[in-house]
Amino acid sequence: MVKINLLGVQINNESREEVLKKVAKMAIDKEKHYIVTPNPEFIVLAKEDPDFSNILNGADLSVPDGIGLIWASRLLYGKNGLGERITGVDLMADICQMAAQKKWSVFLLGAKEGVAEKCAEKLKLKYGLRVLGTHSGWADQSQDETNRQVIGRKVGHRECHFIFVAYGAGKQEKWIKRNLDKIPVKVAMGVGGSLDFLSGKVKRAPKLVRRFGLEWLWRLVGQPWRWRRQLALPKFVSLALKEKFFAD
Ligand code: UDP
């Protein structure tokens, strides 16, 4: 079973290596593809927003970004649950490393002014990655045309394999759905706060904290304004328990 249905959202149950192999195929495929990285917040949002749910379920690859998903999948499917957590930021870093080796190029969209540029510098330095351009832009639909013009101009006649879109859960996936067919890029991935992390603007939780599945708590302590968004966590837990004990 490659995909698992977790509270209405399809998630790939594959190792980091298998996932990366799939991404490599996408980069050289004729068709366009997009990647999503659901966490508990995505699942709760998708329950309330059928559009978002359809976009998530239409993705070519959907990786479990969050220990909550692993827990819920094991609660519902036992040992057939999800094997491995693959965070968006780790997958983005893996893709960038692979892209650099294969001489593929990328575009960075979103995040606060200056963050994508900083991230591009870091990625060039670390992997020797070809970043064709960056643009913070706005996630709002009224800005789509402008954003597409900027991307088109910066990419020019070169081939662009990946666009990483950092507009936060929901907005970034909707942006990709509306725009991917109209931009000269092959694969799009919504990356949430990954540009903040990879640029060094926000510090990631230490490895030990991550290993214990407490990255969400680290983010809450470092960015307390997140508490409202993290209310999605108890909602997610109650959805999983309901599904386990009360579904017919
Ligand atoms: N963001 C943006 N425009 C928006 C909303 C968000 O550029 O309208 C950026 C924000 O600056 C951040 C990223 O999107 O870099 C989303 O980060 P967040 O930490 O909220 O995402 P998460 O990783 O929690 O999904």
Side-chain angles (χ1 to χ4, degrees):
M1 187 161 55
V2 175
K3 281 201 176 183
I4 280 185
N5 180 328
L6 205 58
L7 304 168
V9 175
Q10 302 284 332
I11 315 279
N12 283 70
N13 188 15
E14 291 174 277
S15 70
R16 211 157 148 172
E17 287 73 35
E18 288 167 326
V19 160
L20 211 56
K21 268 192 207 149
K22 284 205 165 148
V23 177
K25 280 195 191 142
M26 291 178 195
I28 52 173
D29 195 19
K30 302 196 293 299
E31 307 288 327
K32 299 206 178 205
H33 298 275
Y34 68 94
I35 303 167
V36 296
T37 66
N39 60 23
E41 189 188 354
F42 279 58
I43 306 248
V44 171
L45 274 177
K47 279 266 175 231
E48 295 155 5
D49 179 350
D51 250 11
F52 183 42
S53 172
N54 287 337
I55 295 172
L56 291 178
N57 287 326
D60 302 282
L61 188 62
S62 167
V63 302
D65 176 348
I67 196 71
L69 267 63
I70 310 293
W71 167 80
S73 75
R74 302 225 173 123
L75 178 78
L76 298 172
Y77 298 106
K79 62 177 175 14
N80 294 323
L82 296 165
E84 197 178 333
R85 178 172 89 118
I86 303 176
T87 65
V89 60
D90 288 332
L91 181 58
M92 179 178 165
D94 281 353
I95 296 175
C96 288
Q97 187 171 19
M98 171 173 75
Q101 282 160 3
K102 306 242 187 210
K103 310 250 177 297
W104 291 335
S105 55
V106 314
F107 194 98
L108 307 180
L109 180 70
K112 295 226 162 69
E113 206 60 55
V115 173
E117 284 90 330
K118 184 92 193 134
C119 187
E121 272 168 34
K122 290 257 166 113
L123 292 171
K124 282 181 199 165
L125 211 64
K126 184 157 185 197
Y127 303 120
L129 181 65
R130 285 182 67 209
V131 182
L132 297 184
T134 65
H135 179 52
S136 70
W138 291 97
D140 199 81
Q141 189 162 2
S142 65
Q143 296 300 304
D144 281 0
E145 184 83 39
T146 316
N147 283 338
R148 289 199 301 264
Q149 277 171 6
V150 174
I151 295 166
R153 202 174 56 239
K154 293 193 175 177
V155 169
H157 293 296
R158 298 170 296 180
E159 193 172 27
C160 187
H161 298 81
F162 295 98
I163 184 165
F164 298 106
V165 184
Y167 283 143
K171 283 188 192 171
Q172 60 198 21
E173 288 73 22
K174 289 182 178 176
W175 189 93
I176 289 171
K177 193 70 191 171
R178 293 195 307 269
N179 294 285
L180 181 58
D181 280 343
K182 302 178 190 150
I183 51 173
V185 183
K186 295 181 133 175
V187 184
M189 173 176 168
V191 293
S194 301
L195 303 190
D196 297 327
F197 289 127
L198 296 176
S199 65
K201 181 177 172 258
V202 176
K203 206 169 138 33
R204 247 193 118 181
K207 277 217 170 80
L208 199 65
V209 175
R210 282 187 252 159
R211 197 168 321 136
F212 282 108
L214 292 173
E215 193 158 17
W216 59 274
L217 184 60
W218 173 272
R219 291 189 85 180
L220 184 60
V221 172
Q223 300 169 307
W225 48 265
R226 279 183 177 276
W227 72 268
R228 196 183 286 279
R229 289 183 39 194
Q230 290 201 348
L231 290 180
L233 280 173
K235 264 194 208 154
F236 174 78
V237 171
S238 96
L239 284 172
L241 292 174
K242 258 193 220 146
E243 172 86 12
K244 168 83 180 166
F245 297 108
F246 301 105
D248 27 58

